Amino acid sequence: EPEVTQTPSHQVTQMGQEVILRCVPISNHLYFYWYRQILGQKVEFLVSFYNNEISEKSEIFDDQFSVERPDGSNFTLKIRSTKLEDSAMYFCASRYRTPSSGANVLTFGAGSRLTVL
Amino acid sequence: ILNVEQSPQSLHVQEGDSTNFTCSFPSSNFYALHWYRWETAKSPEALFVMTLNGDEKKKGRISATLNTKEGYSYLYIKGSQPEDSATYLCALYNAGNMLTFGGGTRLMVKP
């Protein structure tokens, strides 16, 4: 079964460093997302991406964050200057439309755990 | 900001017990409700997507119901098995093209 893959599975970085998290969505999906979960908190929406541009973003997704689809397969999340509070599990997801119901099911990757020291 | 709540936060049951948990959400501007099963170190796995008031869906021993008028969904597991141990997440999908998640119910099934 097709899956969304994310790398790295765990990254430890120093505060102020740039981090790039990578995702390979399912090939025929059209919409891509980043979510995150800070330990002990709810999973939060960061950004959605369609047709090579951001379609929605949350308040969390400030100027320190950016997303790209550089080569038509990878979908990346960059954090320019990491802060302690960026420590979280970051999930990539991609979306298709189920033929029967029309509902928009998201397929998630296993996550990249970011630890900022 | 949409508020999606799940209860209980965690649940311990014995193998063979049936169990259920709740997801509550704002009933206005409803589009769909998703249920995910999330095992540690794995991807959250979609269980159900529910769109219509009164929907009931079933997958093996797991089923879900939806009441959009009062803003809740129940997830039922019949005859829990140790492999059902996971965190069960519900998420509201609205016209804003994003999922708003509840805090999850962590289920632990003891053999």
Side-chain angles (χ1 to χ4, degrees), chain A residues 63-81:
Chain A
D63 292 344
Q64 293 297 312
F65 290 89
S66 62
V67 287
E68 259 195 327
R69 197 151 188 249
D71 56 12
S73 62
N74 289 285
F75 178 50
T76 62
L77 175 70
K78 183 193 289 186
I79 310 174
R80 284 189 189 80
S81 177

Side-chain angles (χ1 to χ4, degrees), chain A residues 4 31 33 35 37 41-45 48 50 55-57 59 89 91 95 97 101-111, chain B residues 1-5 31-32 34 36 38 41-44 46 49-51 57 89 93 95-104:
Chain A
V4 174
Y31 297 83
Y33 302 82
Y35 287 81
Q37 186 189 36
Q41 297 185 24
K42 293 181 179 180
V43 175
E44 306 172 287
F45 168 77
S48 60
Y50 171 70
S55 55
E56 302 275 350
K57 61 182 181 178
E59 292 171 354
M89 180 74 91
F91 290 99
R95 172 161 75 91
R97 178 178 286 274
S101 68
N104 298 299
V105 181
L106 270 68
T107 303
F108 283 85
Chain B
I1 296 175
L2 296 174
N3 201 22
V4 179
E5 298 294 337
Y31 192 82
H34 293 219
Y36 288 86
W38 183 24
K42 294 188 179 177
S43 312
V49 179
M50 309 179 80
T51 55
K57 296 213 171 178
L89 296 166
Y93 193 95
N97 188 31
M98 65 187 81
L99 287 175
T100 301
F101 282 85

Side-chain angles (χ1 to χ4, degrees), chain B:
Chain B
I1 296 175
L2 296 174
N3 201 22
V4 179
E5 298 294 337
Q6 289 187 248
S7 63
Q9 277 191 309
S10 65
L11 194 53
H12 290 77
V13 301
Q14 286 295 135
E15 182 176 355
D17 287 351
S18 293
T19 187
N20 65 85
F21 16 96
T22 307
C23 173
S24 59
F25 51 86
S27 52
S28 57
N29 297 317
F30 177 86
Y31 192 82
L33 189 84
H34 293 219
W35 279 101
Y36 288 86
R37 179 175 178 277
W38 183 24
E39 287 182 73
T40 305
K42 294 188 179 177
S43 312
E45 172 202 350
L47 288 173
F48 305 113
V49 179
M50 309 179 80
T51 55
L52 297 175
N53 185 44
D55 252 357
E56 288 188 30
K57 296 213 171 178
K58 191 173 178 187
K59 190 175 182 176
R61 293 179 291 98
I62 305 177
S63 59
T65 60
L66 178 68
N67 183 323
T68 59
K69 292 184 193 250
E70 295 181 37
Y72 64 83
S73 175
Y74 294 137
L75 190 82
Y76 301 91
I77 303 179
K78 186 177 175 184
S80 305
Q81 300 296 308
E83 57 265 31
D84 296 329
S85 297
T87 296
Y88 291 83
L89 296 166
C90 71
L92 183 69
Y93 193 95
N94 64 5
N97 188 31
M98 65 187 81
L99 287 175
T100 301
F101 282 85
T105 293
R106 189 173 172 210
L107 175 67
M108 283 152 282
V109 183
K110 297 177 203 172

Side-chain angles (χ1 to χ4, degrees), chain A residues 3-40:
Chain A
E3 55 183 33
V4 174
T5 55
Q6 290 187 241
T7 53
S9 55
H10 189 191
Q11 180 154 357
V12 181
T13 191
Q14 294 291 325
M15 193 167 57
Q17 295 295 305
E18 176 182 284
V19 158
I20 297 176
L21 305 178
R22 291 184 168 79
C23 170
V24 180
I26 294 173
S27 59
N28 62 347
H29 285 190
L30 301 175
Y31 297 83
F32 313 110
Y33 302 82
W34 284 100
Y35 287 81
R36 77 173 186 189
Q37 186 189 36
I38 294 170
L39 191 63

